[in-house]
Amino acid sequence: MCYWLANRKESIVSEKDSFNTQITINILCNVLIVSAVMTMIGTWIGQQQVFTLSLHTYFNNWPRNFAIAFVVEAVIAQPIARQVLLYHHLKAIKN
């Protein structure tokens, strides 16, 4: 699933689209994957057993997990990753 959704990003945006558009689509694709996995596996870990009840409550729990994953990705993870890559590229240019 992750590979399929990661490759779908190219069908949503093109190379001609702006950087912000590409980052936004990247964030949304990542968040969809993370929230889906977090909803299923998180329930199993929290209950300490694998059962199908998480399938019945999936759509009740998913919006909250999507919001949490989106905030973490958009506010914390992406800005830090962009700064690290910026410093890495600036250091590579100096050398």
Side-chain angles (χ1 to χ4, degrees):
M1 178 181 153
C2 296
Y3 180 75
W4 177 81
L5 188 57
N7 285 338
R8 301 307 275 173
K9 184 181 77 121
E10 283 76 25
S11 66
I12 298 171
V13 294
S14 69
E15 292 182 12
K16 297 177 183 177
D17 289 334
S18 70
F19 177 75
N20 288 337
T21 302
Q22 293 195 18
I23 289 296
T24 302
I25 296 300
N26 188 23
I27 288 171
L28 288 175
C29 289
N30 290 338
V31 167
L32 282 172
I33 293 169
V34 168
S35 64
V37 170
M38 193 166 71
T39 302
M40 292 300 296
I41 305 224
T43 303
W44 295 340
I45 291 172
Q47 298 294 327
Q48 297 178 348
Q49 60 184 352
V50 176
F51 59 98
T52 60
L53 182 62
S54 60
L55 294 174
H56 298 291
T57 61
Y58 180 82
F59 291 107
N60 294 333
N61 296 336
W62 180 77
R64 178 191 51 155
N65 290 340
F66 180 83
I68 291 169
F70 183 76
V71 168
V72 168
E73 182 78 16
V75 175
I76 299 170
Q78 283 291 329
I80 290 172
R82 278 184 261 155
Q83 285 297 320
V84 167
L85 284 175
L86 175 68
Y87 290 132
H88 175 72
H89 287 255
L90 290 175
K91 187 176 178 182
I93 289 171
K94 287 181 183 179
N95 292 339

